[in-house]
Amino acid sequence: MADSIPVITINHRGVARLRGGHLWVYRSDLAPPTEAPAGALIYVRDQRGRKLGSALYSSASQIAIRLLTSNEIAEAELLPLMGERIANAVQFRQKVARDTDAYRVIFSEADLLPGLIVDKYNDVLSMQALTQAFDREDIRHLVMEALAEPFPGHSLVERVDPHIRELEQLPERQSRLVRGERSSTIFTVNGVRFHYHGLGGQKTGAFLDQRENYVAAARYAHGDALDCFTYHGGFALHLARVCQSVTAVDSSRPALEVAEQNEQLNRASHRSGEIEWIEANAFDLLKDYATAGRQYDTIVLDPPAFAKTKRTAPTALRGYKELNLRALKMLRPGGVLTTCSCSFHVSEAEFLEMLGSAAADAGRQVRILEKRGQAQDHPILLNVPETSYLKCVIISVI
Ligand code: SAH
């Protein structure tokens, strides 16, 4: 059997990467350049024939190889290994996902299941294959079976990102319900309720990685609050429980419509102030409000990833600085800024440096209250830096 498994040789750069604990080998590090079937289990060897382990192969991605294990396993061992890893991932979430019925069940590399994302929204699971391997019929079937056991009665939606399917040269497919009857539900995070629509025009997910940061931001929040890039109101709804007034801004009308529905959903159970939802470009709005002399006690900045590649990081940092500078200028003494970046290509050190420079330009002294990252259901695999992407810094203006 082992004979039928393709062997791929990699150069010293690829070897160094794997020896350093990373799981990826780029196509340019295959030596000689080799092809294997899309999504195949392969063995990885160095140029002297030494065994480096078993991996999943992509015939399309620049990330040609994603290591699964440092052993050479038989094809028959592949699905059982994945089943075991899914069970481990589920078990880990039982320890770390508190006060929520929505969390990331499987986070790709960080769960040693490189190419698979599964999120849980109350009684609906959403599954996404990022690679050819996890799009294989047998593997998809295994994943579905392995999830049915710990999550009985849950519906399962398969989410499709057309861009990723194109990159992996996978046939086009629509997002669809693959098990159960429901693709929409209501989930509860820290006692705050949200709508989830897995399919249809109003397709929504949530930024589950911010779950713990909502609580942290609310811990220091007070007075008049401004939530920029609110999406479905994640921060705003948490702030509304403790602040006197909340203004929430997003450039997407559909996102704000869901946010308003979420506000309705929580109105009965919480004594919270009304939220003003504003459709606007946050850059323009901050500029206008600053010029108009508006002031706040609490500001949240959670923009989309500005840096998609290392090359765009400097431009991204300029964008972050502009936002943070304006926000800092508008904070009253004692005011608190919760500021985030989900760009992997901007490091925490660079983000802090940007923040320091924004504070200096704003003529404010600031104190760091908390340096935070993504919620624990999005674990970080230490030697795969790409698994660590979210920065959330909470600072107060003196
Ligand atoms: N804070 C949210 C997640 C924000 S995601 C949460 O915790 O759930 C980023 C959001 O920024 C998206 O909703 C997007 O519509 C919005 N956005 C992107 N560019 C924008 C801009 N220039 N001005 C305002 N909103 C913008």
Side-chain angles (χ1 to χ4, degrees):
M1 273 309 286
D3 291 346
S4 64
I5 294 179
V7 174
I8 294 190
T9 307
I10 62 174
N11 68 16
H12 65 280
R13 260 203 323 257
V15 174
R17 204 161 234 281
L18 295 185
R19 291 233 189 277
H22 209 294
L23 303 178
W24 297 350
V25 179
Y26 291 102
R27 186 161 308 283
S28 52
D29 291 336
L30 308 191
T34 324
E35 281 297 332
L41 174 71
I42 56 139
Y43 293 155
V44 193
R45 307 257 171 94
D46 73 10
Q47 284 169 310
R48 291 163 74 178
R50 278 181 299 219
K51 298 176 179 176
L52 292 159
S54 308
L56 300 170
Y57 179 76
S58 168
S59 61
S61 169
Q62 279 315 303
I63 306 168
I65 289 177
R66 296 183 196 229
L67 196 75
L68 264 184
T69 162
S70 49
N71 303 320
E72 292 198 342
I73 60 167
E75 185 74 46
E77 292 173 283
L78 176 61
L79 297 186
L81 175 68
M82 287 184 170
E84 214 173 283
R85 292 200 170 156
I86 292 171
N88 284 340
V90 171
Q91 213 176 20
F92 176 67
R93 285 2 181 239
Q94 284 161 359
K95 287 192 202 116
V96 300
R98 276 177 234 103
D99 297 327
T100 183
D101 60 16
Y103 50 88
R104 179 147 292 183
V105 182
I106 297 172
F107 184 32
S108 201
E109 277 74 12
D111 286 298
L112 302 183
L113 291 161
L116 178 66
I117 301 278
V118 177
D119 290 330
K120 171 176 147 70
Y121 295 95
N122 187 9
D123 50 358
V124 179
L125 296 172
S126 131
M127 164 175 101
Q128 192 182 6
L130 306 175
T131 57
Q132 292 172 349
F134 280 98
D135 199 56
R136 270 169 52 170
E137 259 329 298
D138 58 338
I139 294 182
R140 289 180 49 227
H141 185 74
L142 175 274
V143 173
M144 286 171 58
E145 288 306 302
L147 290 171
E149 204 185 293
F151 301 114
H154 286 51
S155 295
L156 180 63
V157 169
E158 180 167 10
R159 230 184 77 209
V160 168
D161 179 336
H163 180 62
I164 286 175
R165 289 190 77 83
E166 201 182 311
L167 288 180
E168 285 284 307
Q169 291 172 8
L170 290 166
E172 271 181 44
R173 195 151 59 203
Q174 296 291 312
S175 293
R176 65 205 168 105
L177 189 62
V178 288
R179 179 191 292 132
E181 280 117 49
R182 276 179 317 282
S183 60
S184 295
T185 192
I186 288 168
F187 64 94
T188 310
V189 167
N190 312 312
V192 178
R193 303 171 79 208
F194 294 88
H195 286 280
Y196 172 75
H197 302 289
L199 297 172
Q202 282 270 344
K203 190 159 79 83
T204 63
F207 292 88
L208 297 174
D209 49 3
Q210 290 284 25
R211 177 173 49 88
E212 296 167 1
N213 296 331
Y214 296 149
V215 179
R219 196 155 43 232
Y220 307 99
H222 61 281
D224 300 315
L226 176 66
D227 176 19
C228 294
F229 309 92
T230 193
Y231 186 57
H232 294 164
F235 280 100
L237 291 162
H238 283 78
L239 300 182
R241 292 163 155 194
V242 288
C243 292
Q244 191 181 311
S245 78
V246 179
T247 302
V249 185
D250 202 283
S251 57
S252 157
R253 170 75 347 230
L256 288 175
E257 277 164 15
V258 179
E260 286 190 56
Q261 289 165 16
N262 289 340
E263 185 187 9
Q264 294 299 329
L265 205 56
N266 290 283
R267 181 146 296 153
S269 52
H270 290 290
R271 222 167 33 90
S272 55
E274 197 158 326
I275 304 172
E276 187 187 7
W277 306 100
I278 299 182
E279 182 184 344
N281 179 326
F283 284 89
D284 298 340
L285 180 124
L286 284 171
K287 194 169 159 197
D288 295 347
Y289 278 18
T291 311
R294 290 219 193 190
Q295 293 207 302
Y296 291 92
D297 303 290
T298 302
I299 299 182
V300 174
L301 298 174
D302 183 22
F306 289 154
K308 302 269 189 231
T309 63
K310 192 77 221 162
R311 208 168 308 135
T312 54
T315 320
L317 279 162
R318 280 196 293 278
Y320 288 125
K321 183 166 172 187
E322 183 181 334
L323 289 174
N324 283 279
L325 173 61
R326 293 197 196 286
L328 284 165
K329 281 186 174 167
M330 278 199 279
L331 279 172
R332 297 192 180 107
V336 176
L337 172 65
T338 297
T339 178
C340 310
S341 162
C342 55
S343 299
F344 160 69
H345 297 286
V346 170
S347 70
E348 186 188 82
E350 288 168 321
F351 191 65
L352 286 170
E353 193 185 318
M354 172 283 299
L355 210 48
S357 149
D361 288 5
R364 310 295 294 262
Q365 284 293 354
V366 305
R367 178 185 285 152
I368 296 184
L369 301 178
E370 293 192 33
K371 280 189 283 187
R372 310 179 53 86
Q374 60 226 48
Q376 277 191 291
D377 49 316
H378 294 61
I380 295 167
L381 195 61
L382 184 57
N383 285 320
V384 178
E386 290 81 357
T387 57
S388 168
Y389 61 95
L390 184 62
K391 276 87 37 198
C392 173
V393 182
I394 307 181
I395 57 182
S396 70
V397 174
I398 299 172

